[in-house]
Amino acid sequence: VTVPAVVRPAEAADAPLVRGLLQELGYEARGFDASFARVVGAAPTRVWVAEGDGRVVGVMSLSFTERLALGGTMISIDELVVTASARGRRVGAELVEKAKEVARELGAARVELHTRRSRESYARDFYVKNGFVEVDSALLRWEP
Ligand SMILES: CC(C)(COP(=O)(O)OP(=O)(O)OC[C@H]1O[C@@H](n2cnc3c(N)ncnc32)[C@H](O)[C@@H]1OP(=O)(O)O)[C@@H](O)C(=O)NCCC(=O)NCCS
């Protein structure tokens, strides 16, 4: 990416590109198409893509939850990925900046995310460098 990336809401036509990016993150969900169709075009915008050199090089998906304990909305960054050839050029930072901008506009109480400690981005302190603070938290899961 030689030009600064532009972050814009994802559109229906971005589905195959977004699917490819999620594969780079290690996800290959059978229900992807239906899931994407449910959230694309939703307000507030749930899926954002970064475009650089006329192609989509990154995606970030958000979800919004009303948290009683916070007395407001919590925004979660559910997926974030920049294609390997475009990494290290602040595209990821731009996407995270968009999440913060959405939070400010909405008056949200918090932006949160889960990541794996084994990911390279965690080792490189990507989130800390972008203003996030690691908290003491346990993640538990149930899957049918
Ligand atoms: C994490 C990720 C989204 C960051 O996106 P990005 O566009 O590379 O991020 P940035 O360019 O804003 O910042 C990356 C940092 O790594 C450095 N970097 C340099 N070359 C790099 C490269 N080839 N690959 C990755 N990072 C590189 C950047 O300089 C920057 O560090 P700095 O702020 O100390 O200079 C992206 O690397 C990615 O998709 N990784 C794989 C998936 C992943 O881990 N996702 C997050 C977990 S859910």
Side-chain angles (χ1 to χ4, degrees), residues 38-53:
R38 278 197 293 274
V39 296
V40 79
T45 301
R46 299 268 308 262
V47 192
W48 296 86
V49 293
E51 221 173 45
D53 295 339

Side-chain angles (χ1 to χ4, degrees), residues 2-114:
T2 51
V3 295
V6 175
V7 176
R8 60 156 176 87
E11 298 159 7
D14 294 317
L17 301 160
V18 171
R19 178 181 213 135
L21 286 164
L22 293 185
Q23 282 166 353
E24 283 193 51
L25 199 57
Y27 294 104
E28 175 86 81
R30 250 192 305 132
F32 171 84
D33 289 334
S35 183
F36 190 78
R38 278 197 293 274
V39 296
V40 79
T45 301
R46 299 268 308 262
V47 192
W48 296 86
V49 293
E51 221 173 45
D53 295 339
R55 66 190 179 111
V56 169
V57 294
V59 64
M60 173 181 70
S61 75
L62 305 175
S63 61
F64 302 83
T65 315
E66 187 63 30
R67 294 294 298 267
L68 301 179
L70 301 178
T73 303
M74 187 185 82
I75 300 180
S76 169
I77 299 179
D78 294 329
E79 282 102 14
L80 173 67
V81 53
V82 172
T83 197
S85 61
R87 284 179 199 161
R89 289 161 187 168
R90 296 200 48 83
V91 177
E94 288 297 323
L95 284 163
V96 169
E97 194 47 50
K98 178 57 74 176
K100 293 179 183 172
E101 192 185 308
V102 171
R104 286 185 209 105
E105 278 171 13
L106 259 156
R110 178 184 288 174
V111 179
E112 202 166 275
L113 65 95
H114 284 125

